[in-house]
Amino acid sequence: HQTPMPTLQLYVWEEFMPDWTGGLAVAIASSEEEARAQVILQQGGYPPSDWGLLSIHPINTPIAFAVSGGS
């Protein structure tokens, strides 16, 4: 008997670590806690001071994100 795989979701933070413009962070994970931990590892182990706005999406449907640069 196999344990079922956890359901993965796409976690998207817009306005992540804003400076002149807002940034973007994404992670595919089975929980928000796991997603945040992955982003922190990607940032060299430093937790961001401002996560921005989070949206969570199932990864079994088509989805796209676009973030324009600017000053």
Side-chain angles (χ1 to χ4, degrees):
H1 178 61
Q2 282 188 322
T3 304
M5 294 275 299
T7 301
L8 297 176
Q9 298 183 97
L10 174 65
Y11 294 80
V12 180
W13 287 271
E14 296 179 72
E15 299 300 320
F16 178 80
M17 295 289 292
D19 190 9
W20 291 103
T21 62
L24 180 70
V26 298
I28 295 175
S30 58
S31 69
E32 182 179 341
E33 180 179 281
E34 180 184 29
R36 286 180 183 263
Q38 289 180 15
V39 171
I40 290 169
L41 284 174
Q42 184 66 29
Q43 293 288 305
Y46 298 103
S49 59
D50 188 347
W51 283 92
L53 306 171
L54 173 62
S55 58
I56 303 170
H57 309 273
I59 59 171
N60 60 351
T61 58
I63 192 164
F65 292 94
V67 178
S68 298
S71 54

